[in-house]
Amino acid sequence: MDRPHDEFDEDFGLSGLTQKFRDPAQVSDGDAAADVVAAVADQFDGAYAWQLLEDVRRLMASSLTDEAMVTLWLGATRGYFDPTVHAMNGRAWLRRIADVCVTRIRRDEPSFVPTASEPLEDRDQELRVAVLEEIRAVGSALADAGVTSLYAAPLPELVPTLERAVAEVGADLAFRLLLRALQAYFVRISGTTHQRFLELGERLGYNEYVVDDGCLNVWPELDR
């Protein structure tokens, strides 16, 4: 069974998985990438698999294109593993992740059968507005980095794709993918932006280290 978000003291679900793709040499093909997924799904005695599967199901149930799903993935991973290079489009890669999660869950619950993703809760509307505002607040800097950064591959469609993800998959996953993208592209953010992120994380029920794991490029002097 999945766990409350605040019980994870690090990033979780799909965004947490992207953080584990740190070395292109370790994910030279689809099987190696699936091995990384399996190791992550096994964390927290398998509870991680439930959260990861839920994120993946939400994405797959959305109307986002395969190209948009790949953009979100590459934006969070610095492009260290591009599924399209290994003959997988966005949904094919997500299905492979889902299969790994189901296999791990069935170790504990052999009769487990995946069901459709639950509809977004009404309360998510206010959170979606808040996350969309944060994407737009850092959008210019992230868009520039998505074209010029030395830290990650160019992704000119990253910001509009994150905006679409807010409506399609909800505030929770969209916000976590935004945080990963800001880290991947080493985008400078102000101290007040950082504080808003922390407060938004509280509203979303996160442990503080999901937002503030020491990897955001915070520049308090930008507030001056």
PDB file of all heavy atoms in Angstrom, residues 111-139:
ATOM      1  N   SER A 111      -1.879 -11.258  -5.668  1.00  0.00           N
ATOM      2  CA  SER A 111      -3.116 -11.088  -6.430  1.00  0.00           C
ATOM      3  C   SER A 111      -3.332  -9.655  -6.921  1.00  0.00           C
ATOM      4  O   SER A 111      -4.379  -9.349  -7.496  1.00  0.00           O
ATOM      5  CB  SER A 111      -4.316 -11.497  -5.571  1.00  0.00           C
ATOM      6  OG  SER A 111      -4.419 -10.659  -4.423  1.00  0.00           O
ATOM      7  N   PHE A 112      -2.352  -8.785  -6.721  1.00  0.00           N
ATOM      8  CA  PHE A 112      -2.510  -7.378  -7.082  1.00  0.00           C
ATOM      9  C   PHE A 112      -2.782  -7.217  -8.575  1.00  0.00           C
ATOM     10  O   PHE A 112      -2.091  -7.784  -9.424  1.00  0.00           O
ATOM     11  CB  PHE A 112      -1.259  -6.589  -6.712  1.00  0.00           C
ATOM     12  CG  PHE A 112      -1.265  -5.171  -7.222  1.00  0.00           C
ATOM     13  CD1 PHE A 112      -2.080  -4.215  -6.642  1.00  0.00           C
ATOM     14  CD2 PHE A 112      -0.461  -4.801  -8.300  1.00  0.00           C
ATOM     15  CE1 PHE A 112      -2.093  -2.908  -7.114  1.00  0.00           C
ATOM     16  CE2 PHE A 112      -0.464  -3.498  -8.772  1.00  0.00           C
ATOM     17  CZ  PHE A 112      -1.282  -2.550  -8.181  1.00  0.00           C
ATOM     18  N   VAL A 113      -3.813  -6.421  -8.891  1.00  0.00           N
ATOM     19  CA  VAL A 113      -4.147  -6.080 -10.273  1.00  0.00           C
ATOM     20  C   VAL A 113      -4.241  -4.558 -10.355  1.00  0.00           C
ATOM     21  O   VAL A 113      -5.036  -3.948  -9.629  1.00  0.00           O
ATOM     22  CB  VAL A 113      -5.484  -6.710 -10.710  1.00  0.00           C
ATOM     23  CG1 VAL A 113      -5.838  -6.257 -12.125  1.00  0.00           C
ATOM     24  CG2 VAL A 113      -5.411  -8.219 -10.626  1.00  0.00           C
ATOM     25  N   PRO A 114      -3.449  -3.912 -11.209  1.00  0.00           N
ATOM     26  CA  PRO A 114      -3.514  -2.446 -11.320  1.00  0.00           C
ATOM     27  C   PRO A 114      -4.892  -1.989 -11.759  1.00  0.00           C
ATOM     28  O   PRO A 114      -5.541  -2.633 -12.585  1.00  0.00           O
ATOM     29  CB  PRO A 114      -2.463  -2.130 -12.390  1.00  0.00           C
ATOM     30  CG  PRO A 114      -1.577  -3.327 -12.441  1.00  0.00           C
ATOM     31  CD  PRO A 114      -2.436  -4.502 -12.095  1.00  0.00           C
ATOM     32  N   THR A 115      -5.341  -0.889 -11.195  1.00  0.00           N
ATOM     33  CA  THR A 115      -6.618  -0.292 -11.577  1.00  0.00           C
ATOM     34  C   THR A 115      -6.367   1.087 -12.164  1.00  0.00           C
ATOM     35  O   THR A 115      -5.252   1.607 -12.117  1.00  0.00           O
ATOM     36  CB  THR A 115      -7.551  -0.169 -10.371  1.00  0.00           C
ATOM     37  OG1 THR A 115      -6.897   0.613  -9.354  1.00  0.00           O
ATOM     38  CG2 THR A 115      -7.887  -1.541  -9.810  1.00  0.00           C
ATOM     39  N   ALA A 116      -7.407   1.683 -12.696  1.00  0.00           N
ATOM     40  CA  ALA A 116      -7.280   3.012 -13.280  1.00  0.00           C
ATOM     41  C   ALA A 116      -6.896   4.024 -12.204  1.00  0.00           C
ATOM     42  O   ALA A 116      -7.275   3.892 -11.035  1.00  0.00           O
ATOM     43  CB  ALA A 116      -8.589   3.417 -13.941  1.00  0.00           C
ATOM     44  N   SER A 117      -6.161   5.029 -12.601  1.00  0.00           N
ATOM     45  CA  SER A 117      -5.763   6.080 -11.674  1.00  0.00           C
ATOM     46  C   SER A 117      -6.994   6.798 -11.143  1.00  0.00           C
ATOM     47  O   SER A 117      -7.966   7.032 -11.864  1.00  0.00           O
ATOM     48  CB  SER A 117      -4.847   7.074 -12.375  1.00  0.00           C
ATOM     49  OG  SER A 117      -4.414   8.074 -11.494  1.00  0.00           O
ATOM     50  N   GLU A 118      -6.954   7.138  -9.852  1.00  0.00           N
ATOM     51  CA  GLU A 118      -8.083   7.842  -9.233  1.00  0.00           C
ATOM     52  C   GLU A 118      -8.198   9.258  -9.781  1.00  0.00           C
ATOM     53  O   GLU A 118      -7.188   9.900 -10.090  1.00  0.00           O
ATOM     54  CB  GLU A 118      -7.889   7.908  -7.716  1.00  0.00           C
ATOM     55  CG  GLU A 118      -7.956   6.548  -7.032  1.00  0.00           C
ATOM     56  CD  GLU A 118      -9.329   5.923  -7.123  1.00  0.00           C
ATOM     57  OE1 GLU A 118     -10.315   6.691  -7.086  1.00  0.00           O
ATOM     58  OE2 GLU A 118      -9.415   4.697  -7.245  1.00  0.00           O
ATOM     59  N   PRO A 119      -9.424   9.785  -9.908  1.00  0.00           N
ATOM     60  CA  PRO A 119      -9.593  11.169 -10.363  1.00  0.00           C
ATOM     61  C   PRO A 119      -8.919  12.139  -9.392  1.00  0.00           C
ATOM     62  O   PRO A 119      -8.797  11.867  -8.201  1.00  0.00           O
ATOM     63  CB  PRO A 119     -11.119  11.369 -10.352  1.00  0.00           C
ATOM     64  CG  PRO A 119     -11.691   9.987 -10.365  1.00  0.00           C
ATOM     65  CD  PRO A 119     -10.711   9.121  -9.642  1.00  0.00           C
ATOM     66  N   LEU A 120      -8.485  13.270  -9.926  1.00  0.00           N
ATOM     67  CA  LEU A 120      -7.881  14.288  -9.085  1.00  0.00           C
ATOM     68  C   LEU A 120      -8.909  14.827  -8.107  1.00  0.00           C
ATOM     69  O   LEU A 120     -10.076  15.014  -8.447  1.00  0.00           O
ATOM     70  CB  LEU A 120      -7.344  15.436  -9.943  1.00  0.00           C
ATOM     71  CG  LEU A 120      -6.208  15.083 -10.905  1.00  0.00           C
ATOM     72  CD1 LEU A 120      -5.895  16.271 -11.803  1.00  0.00           C
ATOM     73  CD2 LEU A 120      -4.965  14.670 -10.137  1.00  0.00           C
ATOM     74  N   GLU A 121      -8.473  15.080  -6.881  1.00  0.00           N
ATOM     75  CA  GLU A 121      -9.386  15.591  -5.868  1.00  0.00           C
ATOM     76  C   GLU A 121      -9.731  17.054  -6.141  1.00  0.00           C
ATOM     77  O   GLU A 121      -8.947  17.799  -6.733  1.00  0.00           O
ATOM     78  CB  GLU A 121      -8.741  15.458  -4.479  1.00  0.00           C
ATOM     79  CG  GLU A 121      -8.456  14.024  -4.075  1.00  0.00           C
ATOM     80  CD  GLU A 121      -7.795  13.949  -2.710  1.00  0.00           C
ATOM     81  OE1 GLU A 121      -7.735  14.989  -2.037  1.00  0.00           O
ATOM     82  OE2 GLU A 121      -7.357  12.860  -2.333  1.00  0.00           O
ATOM     83  N   ASP A 122     -10.911  17.465  -5.668  1.00  0.00           N
ATOM     84  CA  ASP A 122     -11.334  18.844  -5.878  1.00  0.00           C
ATOM     85  C   ASP A 122     -10.330  19.831  -5.304  1.00  0.00           C
ATOM     86  O   ASP A 122     -10.094  20.899  -5.869  1.00  0.00           O
ATOM     87  CB  ASP A 122     -12.706  19.082  -5.230  1.00  0.00           C
ATOM     88  CG  ASP A 122     -13.820  18.360  -5.968  1.00  0.00           C
ATOM     89  OD1 ASP A 122     -13.626  18.021  -7.143  1.00  0.00           O
ATOM     90  OD2 ASP A 122     -14.871  18.148  -5.349  1.00  0.00           O
ATOM     91  N   ARG A 123      -9.758  19.476  -4.161  1.00  0.00           N
ATOM     92  CA  ARG A 123      -8.826  20.404  -3.505  1.00  0.00           C
ATOM     93  C   ARG A 123      -7.606  20.672  -4.369  1.00  0.00           C
ATOM     94  O   ARG A 123      -6.882  21.648  -4.170  1.00  0.00           O
ATOM     95  CB  ARG A 123      -8.385  19.837  -2.151  1.00  0.00           C
ATOM     96  CG  ARG A 123      -7.422  18.665  -2.255  1.00  0.00           C
ATOM     97  CD  ARG A 123      -6.965  18.187  -0.883  1.00  0.00           C
ATOM     98  NE  ARG A 123      -5.973  17.131  -0.979  1.00  0.00           N
ATOM     99  CZ  ARG A 123      -4.673  17.342  -1.128  1.00  0.00           C
ATOM    100  NH1 ARG A 123      -4.222  18.570  -1.208  1.00  0.00           N
ATOM    101  NH2 ARG A 123      -3.832  16.329  -1.200  1.00  0.00           N
ATOM    102  N   ASP A 124      -7.378  19.810  -5.355  1.00  0.00           N
ATOM    103  CA  ASP A 124      -6.194  19.960  -6.192  1.00  0.00           C
ATOM    104  C   ASP A 124      -6.277  21.196  -7.068  1.00  0.00           C
ATOM    105  O   ASP A 124      -5.267  21.669  -7.565  1.00  0.00           O
ATOM    106  CB  ASP A 124      -6.008  18.708  -7.054  1.00  0.00           C
ATOM    107  CG  ASP A 124      -4.598  18.565  -7.604  1.00  0.00           C
ATOM    108  OD1 ASP A 124      -3.650  18.643  -6.810  1.00  0.00           O
ATOM    109  OD2 ASP A 124      -4.464  18.403  -8.822  1.00  0.00           O
ATOM    110  N   GLN A 125      -7.495  21.735  -7.276  1.00  0.00           N
ATOM    111  CA  GLN A 125      -7.627  22.891  -8.150  1.00  0.00           C
ATOM    112  C   GLN A 125      -6.830  24.081  -7.615  1.00  0.00           C
ATOM    113  O   GLN A 125      -6.093  24.727  -8.366  1.00  0.00           O
ATOM    114  CB  GLN A 125      -9.095  23.278  -8.315  1.00  0.00           C
ATOM    115  CG  GLN A 125      -9.328  24.459  -9.241  1.00  0.00           C
ATOM    116  CD  GLN A 125      -8.747  24.248 -10.627  1.00  0.00           C
ATOM    117  OE1 GLN A 125      -8.806  23.162 -11.189  1.00  0.00           O
ATOM    118  NE2 GLN A 125      -8.165  25.298 -11.173  1.00  0.00           N
ATOM    119  N   GLU A 126      -6.957  24.373  -6.336  1.00  0.00           N
ATOM    120  CA  GLU A 126      -6.201  25.486  -5.768  1.00  0.00           C
ATOM    121  C   GLU A 126      -4.705  25.217  -5.832  1.00  0.00           C
ATOM    122  O   GLU A 126      -3.912  26.126  -6.099  1.00  0.00           O
ATOM    123  CB  GLU A 126      -6.621  25.732  -4.314  1.00  0.00           C
ATOM    124  CG  GLU A 126      -8.018  26.299  -4.157  1.00  0.00           C
ATOM    125  CD  GLU A 126      -8.327  26.636  -2.712  1.00  0.00           C
ATOM    126  OE1 GLU A 126      -7.431  26.446  -1.860  1.00  0.00           O
ATOM    127  OE2 GLU A 126      -9.454  27.083  -2.437  1.00  0.00           O
ATOM    128  N   LEU A 127      -4.325  23.992  -5.595  1.00  0.00           N
ATOM    129  CA  LEU A 127      -2.908  23.655  -5.659  1.00  0.00           C
ATOM    130  C   LEU A 127      -2.383  23.750  -7.086  1.00  0.00           C
ATOM    131  O   LEU A 127      -1.252  24.171  -7.314  1.00  0.00           O
ATOM    132  CB  LEU A 127      -2.679  22.249  -5.096  1.00  0.00           C
ATOM    133  CG  LEU A 127      -2.874  22.107  -3.594  1.00  0.00           C
ATOM    134  CD1 LEU A 127      -2.878  20.635  -3.188  1.00  0.00           C
ATOM    135  CD2 LEU A 127      -1.777  22.853  -2.836  1.00  0.00           C
ATOM    136  N   ARG A 128      -3.211  23.363  -8.051  1.00  0.00           N
ATOM    137  CA  ARG A 128      -2.788  23.479  -9.440  1.00  0.00           C
ATOM    138  C   ARG A 128      -2.536  24.929  -9.818  1.00  0.00           C
ATOM    139  O   ARG A 128      -1.572  25.249 -10.521  1.00  0.00           O
ATOM    140  CB  ARG A 128      -3.832  22.848 -10.367  1.00  0.00           C
ATOM    141  CG  ARG A 128      -3.658  21.338 -10.507  1.00  0.00           C
ATOM    142  CD  ARG A 128      -4.651  20.754 -11.480  1.00  0.00           C
ATOM    143  NE  ARG A 128      -5.944  20.553 -10.848  1.00  0.00           N
ATOM    144  CZ  ARG A 128      -7.006  20.073 -11.475  1.00  0.00           C
ATOM    145  NH1 ARG A 128      -6.934  19.780 -12.767  1.00  0.00           N
ATOM    146  NH2 ARG A 128      -8.138  19.882 -10.845  1.00  0.00           N
ATOM    147  N   VAL A 129      -3.396  25.813  -9.347  1.00  0.00           N
ATOM    148  CA  VAL A 129      -3.196  27.239  -9.617  1.00  0.00           C
ATOM    149  C   VAL A 129      -1.873  27.700  -9.007  1.00  0.00           C
ATOM    150  O   VAL A 129      -1.089  28.422  -9.636  1.00  0.00           O
ATOM    151  CB  VAL A 129      -4.373  28.069  -9.063  1.00  0.00           C
ATOM    152  CG1 VAL A 129      -4.049  29.563  -9.125  1.00  0.00           C
ATOM    153  CG2 VAL A 129      -5.645  27.760  -9.838  1.00  0.00           C
ATOM    154  N   ALA A 130      -1.600  27.267  -7.776  1.00  0.00           N
ATOM    155  CA  ALA A 130      -0.377  27.673  -7.087  1.00  0.00           C
ATOM    156  C   ALA A 130       0.860  27.159  -7.809  1.00  0.00           C
ATOM    157  O   ALA A 130       1.855  27.884  -7.971  1.00  0.00           O
ATOM    158  CB  ALA A 130      -0.397  27.167  -5.646  1.00  0.00           C
ATOM    159  N   VAL A 131       0.837  25.903  -8.251  1.00  0.00           N
ATOM    160  CA  VAL A 131       1.992  25.338  -8.954  1.00  0.00           C
ATOM    161  C   VAL A 131       2.186  26.019 -10.301  1.00  0.00           C
ATOM    162  O   VAL A 131       3.314  26.331 -10.700  1.00  0.00           O
ATOM    163  CB  VAL A 131       1.829  23.814  -9.130  1.00  0.00           C
ATOM    164  CG1 VAL A 131       2.926  23.250 -10.031  1.00  0.00           C
ATOM    165  CG2 VAL A 131       1.859  23.119  -7.771  1.00  0.00           C
ATOM    166  N   LEU A 132       1.095  26.276 -10.993  1.00  0.00           N
ATOM    167  CA  LEU A 132       1.199  26.959 -12.286  1.00  0.00           C
ATOM    168  C   LEU A 132       1.820  28.344 -12.114  1.00  0.00           C
ATOM    169  O   LEU A 132       2.650  28.769 -12.937  1.00  0.00           O
ATOM    170  CB  LEU A 132      -0.190  27.077 -12.921  1.00  0.00           C
ATOM    171  CG  LEU A 132      -0.243  27.599 -14.358  1.00  0.00           C
ATOM    172  CD1 LEU A 132       0.563  26.704 -15.290  1.00  0.00           C
ATOM    173  CD2 LEU A 132      -1.688  27.695 -14.826  1.00  0.00           C
ATOM    174  N   GLU A 133       1.450  29.041 -11.053  1.00  0.00           N
ATOM    175  CA  GLU A 133       2.041  30.353 -10.782  1.00  0.00           C
ATOM    176  C   GLU A 133       3.546  30.244 -10.563  1.00  0.00           C
ATOM    177  O   GLU A 133       4.322  31.092 -11.017  1.00  0.00           O
ATOM    178  CB  GLU A 133       1.365  30.992  -9.569  1.00  0.00           C
ATOM    179  CG  GLU A 133      -0.065  31.453  -9.832  1.00  0.00           C
ATOM    180  CD  GLU A 133      -0.738  31.992  -8.584  1.00  0.00           C
ATOM    181  OE1 GLU A 133      -0.183  31.801  -7.470  1.00  0.00           O
ATOM    182  OE2 GLU A 133      -1.830  32.583  -8.714  1.00  0.00           O
ATOM    183  N   GLU A 134       3.977  29.186  -9.864  1.00  0.00           N
ATOM    184  CA  GLU A 134       5.409  29.022  -9.619  1.00  0.00           C
ATOM    185  C   GLU A 134       6.156  28.675 -10.905  1.00  0.00           C
ATOM    186  O   GLU A 134       7.280  29.153 -11.127  1.00  0.00           O
ATOM    187  CB  GLU A 134       5.649  27.941  -8.564  1.00  0.00           C
ATOM    188  CG  GLU A 134       5.137  28.282  -7.177  1.00  0.00           C
ATOM    189  CD  GLU A 134       5.713  29.581  -6.627  1.00  0.00           C
ATOM    190  OE1 GLU A 134       6.811  30.008  -7.069  1.00  0.00           O
ATOM    191  OE2 GLU A 134       5.061  30.189  -5.762  1.00  0.00           O
ATOM    192  N   ILE A 135       5.545  27.868 -11.760  1.00  0.00           N
ATOM    193  CA  ILE A 135       6.191  27.559 -13.037  1.00  0.00           C
ATOM    194  C   ILE A 135       6.372  28.831 -13.850  1.00  0.00           C
ATOM    195  O   ILE A 135       7.439  29.064 -14.440  1.00  0.00           O
ATOM    196  CB  ILE A 135       5.357  26.526 -13.825  1.00  0.00           C
ATOM    197  CG1 ILE A 135       5.378  25.170 -13.110  1.00  0.00           C
ATOM    198  CG2 ILE A 135       5.896  26.373 -15.253  1.00  0.00           C
ATOM    199  CD1 ILE A 135       4.457  24.136 -13.725  1.00  0.00           C
ATOM    200  N   ARG A 136       5.343  29.658 -13.857  1.00  0.00           N
ATOM    201  CA  ARG A 136       5.424  30.902 -14.630  1.00  0.00           C
ATOM    202  C   ARG A 136       6.401  31.891 -14.015  1.00  0.00           C
ATOM    203  O   ARG A 136       7.035  32.664 -14.735  1.00  0.00           O
ATOM    204  CB  ARG A 136       4.031  31.500 -14.767  1.00  0.00           C
ATOM    205  CG  ARG A 136       3.142  30.657 -15.687  1.00  0.00           C
ATOM    206  CD  ARG A 136       1.698  31.098 -15.725  1.00  0.00           C
ATOM    207  NE  ARG A 136       0.949  30.311 -16.706  1.00  0.00           N
ATOM    208  CZ  ARG A 136      -0.366  30.307 -16.818  1.00  0.00           C
ATOM    209  NH1 ARG A 136      -1.110  31.058 -15.985  1.00  0.00           N
ATOM    210  NH2 ARG A 136      -0.962  29.567 -17.734  1.00  0.00           N
ATOM    211  N   ALA A 137       6.540  31.846 -12.697  1.00  0.00           N
ATOM    212  CA  ALA A 137       7.468  32.762 -12.030  1.00  0.00           C
ATOM    213  C   ALA A 137       8.916  32.457 -12.389  1.00  0.00           C
ATOM    214  O   ALA A 137       9.742  33.365 -12.507  1.00  0.00           O
ATOM    215  CB  ALA A 137       7.274  32.703 -10.515  1.00  0.00           C
ATOM    216  N   VAL A 138       9.233  31.173 -12.544  1.00  0.00           N
ATOM    217  CA  VAL A 138      10.613  30.798 -12.891  1.00  0.00           C
ATOM    218  C   VAL A 138      10.729  30.421 -14.361  1.00  0.00           C
ATOM    219  O   VAL A 138      11.799  30.015 -14.828  1.00  0.00           O
ATOM    220  CB  VAL A 138      11.103  29.617 -12.018  1.00  0.00           C
ATOM    221  CG1 VAL A 138      11.110  30.002 -10.550  1.00  0.00           C
ATOM    222  CG2 VAL A 138      10.258  28.357 -12.256  1.00  0.00           C
ATOM    223  N   GLY A 139       9.615  30.556 -15.090  1.00  0.00           N
ATOM    224  CA  GLY A 139       9.565  30.070 -16.458  1.00  0.00           C
ATOM    225  C   GLY A 139      10.600  30.676 -17.379  1.00  0.00           C
ATOM    226  O   GLY A 139      11.209  29.963 -18.188  1.00  0.00           O
TER     227      GLY A 139
END
